[in-house]
Amino acid sequence: YIGGQYGVLVSRDGCASWETTGLDLEAYAVHILGDGDVLAGTEQGLRRFDGASWSALVSTLEGFEVWGIGGSADGSVLLAGSYGNGMALSANGGSSWTPSTSGLSSLDVHHVAVAPEDPQRLYAYTEAGVERSTDGGAAWTRVHTDRGGTLAVSPFDAELIVIYQWNHLLESWDGGDTFGWDDRRSENMSLAQVEDVLFDPSEEGLLYAATVRGVFRLDDMYTWSWTEADVGLGAWSVWDIAAAPVTGVLYLASPSGVLRSTDGGASWSI
């Protein structure tokens, strides 16, 4: 599934062809649930697709642009963030939603993440910086004051997060209590703007960055030496990157379409 100005499209043959799902709203975020249903963050709130039709979900985000959706590994805990009305949380796989705004420094939310193996630990990137909850969304605390665009939490370590703030890629090994000062983009990235960061769910320590100059891969988080992963891709601007949970097959969205890699980013095809 991929979302955009055209709503949400689906491919049932590995991206060889695409068809519409019938959503007539712009979609900013797409999240696939464990039962196969799809959540979309749209210009008018949260919508759910059961494979045949879309329905609106009752939440405090209705009427607001939903920019981010994250979930736990088992799909039970879901977090959605909006621009203008904070976040909503579901503890039952999306059936019902409650507000999750207590302690938030800003109600303008750009990106959200749920630690896959610890759904009590949640992260959000807001206009005020990085915000964290350690009690399942009951209360939030700002842990980093610089605003930015994206963040990722490791599937293997709930306290390892990577963020991209304006012109710096930073990491924290203690859940955001402290961040390194060094920009973790290596010289070959030419200080490219980072649009998305992804921890590979199939291999611990493997990290990808989608940038305005293509995709980069990091195999060692101690040296922070990135390698270009753009054979067949070129220095295209990349907006978003995702990985299949079991196989690790990579997909990315670019201005020229959707591309796939079955060899860890070594090569890409439309």
Side-chain angles (χ1 to χ4, degrees):
Y1 294 88
I2 187 169
Q5 291 180 329
Y6 38 72
V8 175
L9 303 180
V10 59
S11 175
R12 307 181 191 279
D13 51 16
C15 297
S17 62
W18 295 85
E19 60 189 68
T20 182
T21 61
L23 182 67
D24 58 357
L25 297 171
E26 185 169 1
Y28 305 106
V30 176
H31 186 83
I32 302 174
L33 301 175
D35 61 4
D37 283 9
V38 178
L39 289 185
T42 79
E43 59 186 322
Q44 289 296 321
L46 285 168
R47 299 295 184 267
R48 183 169 185 155
F49 183 63
D50 62 6
S53 61
W54 289 92
S55 58
L57 298 180
V58 178
S59 79
T60 53
L61 307 186
E62 184 62 20
F64 292 85
E65 295 179 355
V66 176
W67 286 10
I69 304 173
S72 59
D74 62 5
S76 60
V77 175
L78 297 166
L79 182 67
S82 72
Y83 195 82
N85 206 34
M87 290 178 284
L89 182 75
S90 173
N92 53 17
S95 296
S96 61
W97 296 80
T98 57
S100 180
T101 58
S102 178
L104 274 184
S105 303
S106 171
L107 296 180
D108 295 331
V109 182
H110 295 274
H111 199 99
V112 300
V114 179
E117 300 303 329
D118 182 7
Q120 291 296 302
R121 185 174 286 266
L122 314 174
Y123 299 94
Y125 222 144
T126 75
E127 283 285 319
V130 179
E131 321 242 8
R132 180 186 67 197
S133 173
T134 58
D135 55 10
W140 291 86
T141 302
R142 185 169 60 175
V143 295
H144 190 66
T145 57
D146 289 326
R147 61 188 290 247
T150 189
L151 65 84
V153 55
S154 169
F156 305 95
D157 182 350
E159 293 200 339
L160 173 56
I161 62 174
V162 174
I163 68 170
Y164 181 73
Q165 66 181 48
W166 304 127
N167 214 30
H168 283 83
L169 185 67
L170 305 175
E171 94 282 4
S172 173
W173 297 85
D174 54 17
D177 287 336
T178 59
F179 285 88
W181 289 100
D182 294 332
D183 182 4
R184 292 307 193 178
R185 293 173 297 175
S186 52
E187 187 175 346
N188 64 320
M189 298 174 82
S190 299
L191 301 183
Q193 178 176 317
V194 178
E195 300 285 354
D196 193 25
V197 181
L198 171 74
F199 280 97
D200 194 305
S202 64
E203 183 177 339
E204 188 170 1
L206 182 56
L207 188 65
Y208 294 93
T211 80
V212 296
R213 283 198 55 252
V215 177
F216 292 82
R217 170 179 170 140
L218 181 70
D219 293 276
D220 187 348
M221 294 189 67
Y222 293 96
T223 64
W224 291 95
S225 179
W226 297 81
T227 57
E228 295 183 34
D230 59 0
V231 174
L233 173 64
W236 292 1
S237 176
V238 178
W239 295 329
D240 199 8
I241 186 166
V246 178
T247 64
V249 172
L250 299 171
Y251 298 91
L252 61 83
S254 80
S256 299
V258 180
L259 294 99
R260 177 183 61 196
S261 175
T262 58
D263 52 15
S267 61
W268 296 85
S269 59
I270 295 277

